[in-house]
Amino acid sequence: MIRALPEIESDLLVIGTGLAGIGAALFAADRGIPTTLVGMTGELNFASGLLDLMGIHPIAQWRCWNNPWAAIDALLRDCPEHPYGLLDRSDMRTAFQRFTSFLGDHGLPYHLEPEANQRVITPVGTVKTTYAVPVSMLHGVAALAQKAPCLMVGFTGLKGFSSRQIAETLKDRWPAIGSCQIPFPGMSGELYPEHLAQALAAPTVREQLAAAIRPHLGSSLYVGLPAMLGLYDHGLVFREMQRLLERKLFEIPTMPPGITGLRLKSVFENELPRLGVATHFQQKVLTFEPRGEDGFLFGVGTQRVEWRVRCRGAILAGGRFFGRGLRADRTGIRETLFDLPVAQPARRADWHRSDLFDPAGHPVNRAGLETDSRLRPLDRRGRPAYPNLYAAGSILAHQDWTRMKCGAGLAITTAYAAVKALVGRGA
Ligand SMILES: Cc1cc2nc3c(=O)[nH]c(=O)nc-3n(C[C@H](O)[C@H](O)[C@H](O)COP(=O)(O)OP(=O)(O)OC[C@H]3O[C@@H](n4cnc5c(N)ncnc54)[C@H](O)[C@@H]3O)c2cc1C
């Protein structure tokens, strides 16, 4: 006997659990839309925790902007097809405010200056321009701006983080920066931030760590540590370490994957279901059947279709090559679920410029989906492929988020706009 697959109904299916997908699910829940979220792990695990809006334009000249909105104005003058050109400014601000306040309400507070980018130290000692900064990294912004006496602390065996390299790289312009490398209490061999964060859940380990750092403090007013101050108990661990050291502490993002992405992920995994979102992590949307104005019937599972979801509208937030929303082969770049046309260079030979490190980037990085003004992906004739399919995030064409420093901003603001467009249409 052939058993029918289980089927659920939902007004909206969000495809993808990266920043764009979780953002879309949050914004849809805010509007009371019955929403199902399905996705495999994406770039979120690799997130630094910093939420960029717009930092660099033109990328070939690496011009760094203090005001992200002025940067967007300049970008859109030169590159009007960038997805930001489809968005309303006040919606973009609302999206960022809501996304960051939601994180703050659930133990991951952020700070943003509405009109200004902030400058943050990276794990290799360079300085990165970003928009919204986790509060745990905020003292680092102030220490860097003031060039205040500061100690960078690293740990023997910790992969991808060298306090000495950070201090050496910055010391020409920041003479009051120093560093130390110490063993992490009770640990040896190869260390990863997740292990350290878990160990710091114990008050005795926090006290031992503070005791190990104290002799190196000297006259420093600030102490920088790799992002490892707690995972699920992050706020408590941060406050306690700051109290024990009697200095202003800050975290520095570590090389990916670090715990900054895990913190983001855990907030959304825990809280979206409380908002009524039906979440299905580590599941994939494998098939779809369009049902005209009635929406879609999707097949979901891990390897094969195990259940179906019938929905009136969908937001595709499948990411790029890493997230597997796009795939590249000898014949070109394809969108993997709907086989939507992908805007891309005419010839494969034009995907990359001849110099791998060309500051202007590579055309392949701007390949992606083109949409109408309501973020509905276009078909081969240039019309919305489906009346109730929307796209958000890095799958969109005409942007190079890595170089422009607009990754999270693009994901969050297009997710907000896609949900708004969907509501406007009544899908
Ligand atoms: C190493 C690294 C560092 C970064 N640092 C920063 C930073 O400092 N600041 C910043 O702003 N941004 C940063 N980003 C960028 C930011 O993470 C991305 O711009 C953003 O995650 C893009 O989000 P997205 O949701 O569009 O795509 P992704 O994060 O790639 O998510 C796509 C999702 O779709 C899923 N998916 C694809 N197809 C299907 C399907 N058929 N069914 C179900 N699910 C599917 C994938 O599994 C994945 O969950 C960084 C990214 C990386 C990789």
Side-chain angles (χ1 to χ4, degrees), residues 9 47 85 202 217 323 340 413:
E9 279 200 34
L217 286 174
L340 295 162
T413 58

Side-chain angles (χ1 to χ4, degrees), residues 168-209:
E168 286 295 315
T169 310
L170 288 168
K171 81 169 181 220
D172 282 350
R173 52 181 155 150
W174 188 354
I177 193 169
S179 71
C180 68
Q181 174 151 310
I182 56 172
F184 190 90
M187 286 199 189
S188 58
E190 225 172 70
L191 303 182
Y192 291 90
E194 204 175 336
H195 303 146
L196 309 187
Q198 277 159 359
L200 286 169
T204 48
V205 177
R206 297 199 287 265
E207 277 157 24
Q208 288 164 1
L209 178 61

Side-chain angles (χ1 to χ4, degrees), residues 15-21 38-44 46-52 128 130 256 283-286 317-320 322-325 336-337 392-395 401 406-409 411:
I15 304 162
T17 47
L19 283 178
V38 175
M40 307 292 285
T41 302
E43 290 179 2
L44 196 53
F46 295 81
S48 64
L50 303 169
L51 303 178
D52 305 347
K128 176 181 156 69
T130 191
Q283 299 260 311
K284 201 165 181 193
V285 181
L286 296 164
R320 305 181 66 71
F322 188 86
R324 307 216 175 143
T336 53
L337 180 59
S394 62
I395 198 169
W401 65 262
C406 66

